[in-house]
Amino acid sequence: MLTLSEDSKTLEAFLSPPVPIYMQFWLFNVTNPDAIRYHGAKPVLREVGPYTYEEKRLKYDLEWDDAEGTVTYLQNKSFIFIPEMSPGLSLEDEITTINAIMVSLASKIEAESPVLHALVELAFLRFKESLFITRSVRELLFDGYEEPLLAELVKYAGDPTDSRGKFGFFYPRNNTNDGTFKVKTGALGMDDYQSIVEWKGQTELDYWHGDPYCNMINGTDGSQYPPAVARDTVLRLYTSELCRSLYLTYERDRDHFGIHVYRFIPPRDMLEDPLVNHDNLCYCSPDQNHCLGAGMMNMAPCAMGAPIVMSTPHFYQGDEVELAKLVGLDPRKEDHETFLDVEPRTGVTMKAAKKIQINIPLKPYGQFPSFKNVPEVIFPVLWVNESAAVDEATAQEVRKGVTLPFVVVDAVCGTLIAVGALLILVGAFKLHRFKLLHKQTKTSASSASHVLKVIRQAAVQEQPAGGPLARLLNPPEVKRAEKSESRSGAVRSPGSVTLIPRAAAAE
């Protein structure tokens, strides 16, 4: 029933998830911008949020390939702000944060001549750029804000992101897709069900120095896995936002509205310091001499060179050195850990939360006066929780359709096994009792036969034919002997041919 096809029952849920998906944003408001800019002070941050959006997904332009057992599609994503899930907050709230455009430009030309640095510094002054800016949440997220310096730059460098002189951390991603996906439908087997075969027409990425491990496109999108998930299964997923594949391992059993699920989380090794886990060395950029610490990843290779660092929220399980450079962060497992709760029989994700933090590396770039006194720190901008959970009503339907039949079958099988075991015990008891009685009867019969034999022998050897023992043992023969005696005055002893005179018998 899980197999995808043009007329399958699961197609509708595949095209548009029946469970609402939410994007929650927490932004870091900088409370001491001048102290950071002029005196190199430790950044003091105040987390504000969550600003909650509902994420709508719709797959379209489907192309089926029965020979390969695949389907290719585009997926549109749109985001709608939900005020009732953002209590006490408004998109007009103003946040002070780092100027991403200014840092990006300084980073790109850091290795260039001091003369170019001076010219760019003049551009900063002309367009009144400041290292820290204050903008509304609406502008910082999806709507963007007018950025005159960026508008000037696109005249000469082009506009690959179609920003039209505006900037926002998620602008202009609303109501767009992130490229074509080709996934397995299960028509040729369920072992790789919904696994991603290609993204944007490629079977592997080309961001990470040609390394096959870092460039692999592996797993599903995280919403569905092949059936029969076990505790030792490694769940793999590809996320285009991180430009890499991730993997999760079993942590513990959980209950989701009466449905038994397995919780999977990213293991520490996955985002471990590359100098500790050498599998991560290929993520170092531009080379292995520029590796970031645990829990962080330089996204410049897949962000057109922009200095963006992705990490776990609040640097959870991350680099303790970077965490110590900031005030206002408090990493906690329950709030900042990514997880998937998967129903093991079907491989369906019942609850999920993917949590990522966006950071911008701040340091004294080149000879720029604007960056002369700043501290060197991975500067947090915001973090997002993309989550979904099957509600109680839907969970009950899933339980009736998937879990309950297995429970009924298990109960019936268990009952039959119990009845069978009881019958075997009763049969074994009766057999044992029968053997015991048979043995006792056989023993009694043998003893009686032996006694009878002894008595008969004694009667033959020592008693007259008409004596008490003879009468007891062979009354008919005794009678015949008496009759013969009356006629001839003698008796034939049983088993003997000797006639005994009456006088001798009397003795």
Side-chain angles (χ1 to χ4, degrees):
M1 291 177 65
L2 290 172
T3 304
L4 294 173
S5 66
E6 295 181 78
D7 57 356
S8 66
K9 294 182 179 180
T10 53
L11 181 60
E12 184 177 350
F14 174 72
L15 296 177
S16 182
V19 176
I21 302 172
Y22 296 105
M23 291 277 282
Q24 294 176 295
F25 296 90
W26 286 262
L27 289 84
F28 293 105
N29 187 59
V30 183
T31 62
N32 62 336
D34 291 339
I36 299 170
R37 163 70 177 83
Y38 298 108
H39 306 292
K42 181 183 291 189
V44 179
L45 309 175
R46 181 174 63 88
E47 183 182 85
V48 184
Y51 296 87
T52 304
Y53 288 74
E54 183 175 1
E55 178 182 336
K56 299 285 189 180
R57 297 183 182 183
L58 179 63
K59 297 180 177 67
Y60 62 99
D61 288 352
L62 276 66
E63 296 180 7
W64 301 89
D65 190 324
D66 295 335
E68 284 190 345
T70 61
V71 59
T72 303
Y73 61 86
L74 289 166
Q75 180 170 245
N76 186 77
K77 293 183 179 181
S78 57
F79 303 89
I80 304 167
F81 181 63
I82 310 296
E84 56 270 25
M85 297 183 68
S86 311
L89 301 172
S90 167
L91 292 182
E92 306 310 320
D93 296 341
E94 292 193 334
I95 300 293
T96 298
T97 188
I98 196 167
N99 188 335
I101 297 299
M102 192 172 173
V103 175
S104 294
L105 187 54
S107 172
K108 281 181 176 291
I109 64 172
E110 180 185 15
E112 303 296 333
S113 67
V115 175
L116 185 56
H117 292 180
L119 292 175
V120 173
E121 186 70 29
L122 289 174
F124 290 158
L125 295 173
R126 176 190 169 191
F127 292 101
K128 299 180 181 179
E129 296 290 342
S130 175
L131 185 56
F132 292 95
I133 59 173
T134 300
R135 301 289 180 184
S136 70
V137 173
R138 182 189 305 277
E139 292 173 318
L140 290 173
L141 295 180
F142 291 103
D143 287 17
Y145 58 90
E146 298 292 339
E147 181 55 80
L149 178 57
L150 181 60
E152 188 69 18
L153 289 174
V154 298
K155 293 179 182 178
Y156 304 98
D159 193 8
T161 61
D162 194 29
S163 63
R164 298 183 294 277
K166 296 178 69 175
F167 175 79
F169 289 103
F170 293 87
Y171 174 85
R173 283 183 51 189
N174 202 349
N175 200 30
T176 62
N177 68 76
D178 55 353
T180 57
F181 285 85
K182 179 189 283 189
V183 304
K184 289 289 188 177
T185 63
L188 302 182
M190 300 299 289
D191 290 342
D192 54 2
Y193 179 57
Q194 289 204 30
S195 294
I196 299 170
V197 180
E198 293 180 6
W199 178 61
K200 291 185 175 181
Q202 297 179 311
T203 57
E204 61 181 18
L205 306 173
D206 56 5
Y207 301 128
W208 310 110
H209 315 294
D211 187 278
Y213 175 78
C214 287
N215 282 311
M216 63 181 177
I217 297 176
N218 206 1
T220 73
D221 66 354
S223 62
Q224 173 73 58
Y225 286 93
V229 174
R231 292 181 179 88
D232 60 355
T233 301
V234 177
L235 299 185
R236 304 185 185 277
L237 66 130
Y238 172 72
T239 171
S240 58
E241 294 88 353
L242 289 177
C243 305
R244 64 165 291 178
S245 296
L246 309 174
Y247 61 93
L248 297 90
T249 56
Y250 169 82
E251 184 198 30
R252 57 193 169 101
D253 286 29
R254 294 192 76 254
D255 182 272
H256 185 77
F257 296 122
I259 297 177
H260 188 72
V261 297
Y262 296 159
R263 171 158 290 188
F264 289 80
I265 62 172
R268 172 83 188 216
D269 285 349
M270 190 187 71
L271 291 175
E272 184 58 274
D273 186 326
L275 300 180
V276 177
N277 179 11
H278 292 177
D279 286 341
N280 293 333
L281 284 172
C282 47
Y283 291 118
C284 297
S285 181
D287 52 47
Q288 294 184 4
N289 294 321
H290 296 80
C291 294
L292 296 176
M296 296 182 289
M297 185 174 172
N298 189 346
M299 304 300 297
C302 70
M304 295 178 291
I308 296 176
V309 172
M310 294 292 196
S311 74
T312 51
H314 288 236
F315 299 126
Y316 170 70
Q317 289 189 333
D319 193 325
E320 295 290 339
V321 174
E322 290 299 329
L323 180 62
K325 294 178 181 179
L326 300 156
V327 176
L329 299 188
D330 181 22
R332 295 189 299 271
K333 174 182 174 66
E334 61 272 17
D335 294 332
H336 306 130
E337 183 176 64
T338 292
F339 67 84
L340 295 177
D341 288 348
V342 179
E343 197 286 312
R345 288 191 178 97
T346 61
V348 173
T349 300
M350 304 300 293
K351 186 177 182 180
K354 183 175 66 177
K355 303 173 183 181
I356 301 172
Q357 182 169 295
I358 297 177
N359 313 272
I360 293 178
L362 178 63
K363 67 176 185 177
Y365 285 102
Q367 302 299 317
F368 290 99
S370 296
F371 295 88
K372 182 179 180 181
N373 298 316
V374 301
E376 185 168 348
V377 59
I378 303 299
F379 206 99
V381 175
L382 60 88
W383 71 274
V384 58
N385 175 23
E386 185 179 26
S387 64
V390 172
D391 59 33
E392 186 173 5
T394 306
Q396 294 306 317
E397 292 299 319
V398 172
R399 186 172 181 274
K400 289 178 183 177
V402 176
T403 308
L404 192 58
F406 285 95
V407 173
V408 172
V409 169
D410 291 343
V412 171
C413 289
T415 302
L416 293 176
I417 290 172
V419 171
L422 181 61
L423 291 175
I424 290 173
L425 289 174
V426 171
F429 175 75
K430 288 192 172 184
L431 178 63
H432 175 72
R433 187 177 179 185
F434 172 79
K435 287 183 176 180
L436 187 62
L437 290 174
H438 178 70
K439 183 177 180 181
Q440 291 176 347
T441 303
K442 187 175 180 181
T443 302
S444 300
S446 177
S447 300
S449 175
H450 177 71
V451 172
L452 187 61
K453 184 177 180 180
V454 171
I455 293 175
R456 282 178 174 174
Q457 288 177 350
V460 169
Q461 296 174 2
E462 300 178 10
Q463 297 294 328
L469 288 177
R471 292 192 185 94
L472 176 66
L473 296 176
N474 254 323
E477 292 191 16
V478 172
K479 290 181 180 180
R480 286 196 297 269
E482 289 176 346
K483 289 180 181 179
S484 177
E485 179 188 1
S486 62
R487 289 193 300 269
S488 60
V491 161
R492 183 185 295 271
S493 175
S496 174
V497 294
T498 304
L499 295 177
I500 303 175
R502 181 182 297 272
E507 290 180 1

